[in-house]
Amino acid sequence: MVRYDGKTVVSLNVNNETHEVAARPSDLLLDVLREQLGLTAAKPGCKNGDCGACTVMVDGWPAKSCLMLAVEAQGHAIVTVEGLGGTAAVQKAFVEANAFQCGYCTSGFLMVCQALKTQHPAMPEEYVIEEWLQSNLCRCTGYQEIRKAVHMMYDMT
Amino acid sequence: MIPFDFIYCRPDSLKEASDVYIQLRNEGKTAVYYAGGSEIITMCRSGSIRPDAVIDIKNIPECTVLKIDAQKLHIGAACTLNQIKESKFFPLLGLACGRIADHTNQCRISLGGNLCGTIIYRETSLPLMLSDADITLYGPEGQRTVPFLAVFNGRMQLKAGEFAVQVHIPDWALEARCAHIKRTANEKIDYPLVNVTALWKDGFMRAAFCGICSHPFRSGQIEAVLNDRSLSCDVRAEKVLGLLPEPPYGDVEGSGKYRAFILRNTLSSLLEDAENGKI
């Protein structure tokens, strides 16, 4: 049985690199990514699991990093926007489709779309795209462009 | 950020989980069982709970089972709502899972967390109340498997230190005629104003509800009315309002009066659709 009591060294696999961080058991993955690893793409928004700005991929599935303990993430493959490298199809598609306005929600949307592509390599039905996108909020209401970007992402690959 | 520290335990077996609970209790510490963690993290962050320890059950093999054998579907308490939905084993439960929170959160929220949490709707309980499901629990007094309804009375009636391990659903229910209607105030993703879930067995309509009252429920009296074909659909729906176990629940999402109005209309349409063969 694993038991962590007090600050512990946690090994995290983030963007295919292993990082060791000192974390309290109650530290959230979002805070550890941003404050200890300097990976600031995952954004603190509501910090309540509602807005999706902090979405990362965990083992290929989307996860809101504000609702996950860092200690839980050990042994799992975490991907943040930094891990997409800047040239992923989803990133190109978002640029092509102008799928952002203020940009605060963008990294969360990128990760949920990347996870969608991971789980559904071929274009899924429209209701599936809608279902996945509903996990994230864009206060600038750029939803149509984001949806267009999802289609472009599939067209590019 | 969670503004306090807690101990994190991840046991590998049911006994280890129970033993560490007892050990923590003997040390004077409060512990909560943890699977998806979304509700616990939210409540810790807001300060409404302050456990000394969390016991993560996701590494216990019995808690992650999702399989059919011996004429039953077995679902571990740590299975996520998305796993249950995507398995397509029990479509009615899949519908319920697919309407709780959003898709990303469905990939985290566990069946056990939805059943045992403090959020009053506990929408996954409705299909279980209707399907003669059993539930396996484990705690300091050992393991027990009991009818779900024996330990669920609007909320889980667990003994101290006990946690949900698995639910078991008989195969007749998996493919039975069913309906799941969730009405919300504005957005598709929201808590229910009214959730009506129905399952038919031998032509008899079973129904369970949440949102309309402060806890989920199933009522024999209501089912008798719903199945009384001597009455019109509208009359049956109206009569149900007089048989609720408590006055309709009201909050910022909708007043009790509004919820009752929604329930009456929802039931009337459901009964008409059922009688016209649309379900």
Side-chain angles (χ1 to χ4, degrees):
Chain A
M1 181 179 73
V2 169
R3 177 173 170 149
Y4 299 126
D5 188 351
K7 208 160 200 176
T8 309
V9 174
V10 177
S11 179
L12 297 178
N13 176 346
V14 185
N15 300 330
N16 280 323
E17 290 179 4
T18 302
H19 299 269
E20 291 199 336
V21 297
R24 300 176 306 146
S26 59
D27 278 341
L28 303 175
L29 178 61
L30 171 66
D31 296 328
V32 169
L33 288 173
R34 288 179 62 83
E35 292 163 19
Q36 296 210 41
L37 298 180
L39 299 171
T40 55
K43 304 292 185 222
C46 66
K47 291 189 175 180
N48 201 44
D50 294 322
C51 74
C54 66
T55 303
V56 298
M57 261 185 6
V58 178
D59 296 337
W61 289 92
K64 296 185 180 180
S65 57
C66 73
L67 289 184
M68 185 171 190
L69 303 174
V71 292
E72 277 184 272
Q74 286 194 106
H76 298 283
I78 301 154
V79 179
T80 67
V81 170
E82 289 91 342
L84 298 181
T87 54
V90 64
Q91 291 173 301
K92 289 179 181 171
F94 267 62
V95 172
E96 284 291 312
N98 292 314
F100 43 79
Q101 291 183 48
C102 82
Y104 200 80
C105 70
T106 306
S107 33
F109 270 107
L110 284 170
M111 295 318 298
V112 87
C113 292
Q114 182 70 14
L116 173 68
K117 186 77 169 59
T118 304
Q119 298 303 326
H120 296 272
M123 173 93 85
E125 290 188 57
E126 200 60 35
Y127 80 88
V128 175
I129 295 173
E130 186 176 310
E131 185 180 50
W132 281 61
L133 291 182
Q134 279 176 341
S135 300
N136 293 49
L137 299 176
C138 168
R139 294 305 305 271
C140 307
T141 68
Y143 295 110
Q144 290 309 313
E145 289 78 10
I146 291 167
R147 198 156 176 162
K148 187 177 164 193
V150 174
H151 286 260
M152 290 177 75
M153 171 183 74
Y154 277 103
D155 289 344
M156 284 177 184
T157 50
Chain B
M1 174 182 282
I2 294 174
F4 59 90
D5 292 345
F6 52 61
I7 298 165
Y8 173 85
C9 303
R10 191 168 62 230
D12 299 315
S13 69
L14 297 169
K15 186 170 186 314
E16 270 189 2
S18 181
D19 286 350
V20 74
Y21 181 91
I22 294 166
Q23 183 190 338
L24 289 162
R25 188 181 61 189
N26 290 343
E27 292 169 10
K29 294 184 168 71
T30 56
V32 290
Y33 291 107
Y34 178 103
S38 48
E39 187 177 330
I40 291 173
I41 288 176
T42 304
M43 292 174 75
C44 287
R45 191 184 53 76
S46 67
S48 53
I49 61 170
R50 198 182 170 94
D52 297 312
V54 300
I55 302 171
D56 186 345
I57 64 167
K58 287 196 292 293
N59 219 36
I60 301 173
E62 289 90 336
C63 295
T64 56
V65 159
L66 183 54
K67 66 175 184 183
I68 296 179
D69 70 10
Q71 300 175 328
K72 286 196 173 180
L73 168 63
H74 309 277
I75 308 176
C79 287
T80 68
L81 303 183
N82 191 57
Q83 286 173 324
I84 295 167
K85 183 178 71 169
E86 296 221 341
S87 77
K88 297 183 170 61
F89 284 144
F90 186 12
L92 182 59
L93 185 58
L95 287 168
C97 292
R99 288 299 309 279
I100 295 168
D102 59 55
H103 178 269
T104 299
N105 281 324
Q106 287 161 16
C107 297
R108 282 286 292 174
I109 298 170
S110 66
L111 176 66
N114 185 256
L115 290 173
C116 302
T118 59
I119 296 173
I120 62 171
Y121 305 104
R122 302 183 184 95
E123 293 172 75
T124 56
S125 69
L126 276 57
L128 302 180
M129 281 194 276
L130 300 176
S131 58
D132 300 332
D134 291 330
I135 186 165
T136 297
L137 307 167
Y138 195 94
E141 294 173 27
Q143 182 169 310
R144 59 181 177 136
T145 298
V146 295
F148 179 70
L149 280 169
V151 289
F152 188 83
N153 179 22
R155 64 184 304 160
M156 290 295 295
Q157 310 292 314
L158 298 172
K159 296 177 185 173
E162 206 170 41
F163 60 98
V165 178
Q166 289 178 6
V167 296
H168 316 277
I169 298 131
D171 62 356
W172 70 262
L174 305 183
E175 298 301 329
R177 185 183 176 202
C178 64
H180 176 271
I181 304 172
K182 175 173 174 174
R183 305 280 190 221
T184 55
N186 292 303
E187 302 295 328
K188 184 180 173 189
I189 298 169
D190 204 348
Y191 293 125
L193 283 175
V194 168
N195 181 327
V196 180
T197 299
L199 189 72
W200 278 261
K201 186 178 187 194
D202 302 328
F204 186 87
M205 176 186 175
R206 301 176 173 194
F209 307 85
C210 72
I212 183 66
C213 293
S214 66
H215 56 83
F217 67 92
R218 179 183 171 192
S219 157
Q221 280 183 304
I222 287 177
E223 287 178 2
V225 168
L226 291 173
N227 286 280
D228 182 356
R229 292 191 172 217
S230 68
L231 303 173
S232 73
C233 297
D234 284 344
V235 169
R236 278 183 266 170
E238 186 70 38
K239 282 176 81 91
V240 166
L241 299 183
L243 296 170
L244 297 176
E246 63 182 29
Y249 178 72
D251 66 4
V252 68
E253 298 278 333
S255 65
K257 198 172 174 183
Y258 182 55
R259 286 171 196 257
F261 169 78
I262 298 288
L263 176 63
R264 188 187 63 205
N265 291 349
T266 302
L267 277 176
S268 185
S269 324
L270 172 63
L271 290 166
E272 280 178 21
D273 285 350
E275 294 194 357
N276 294 329
K278 292 183 182 171
I279 295 171

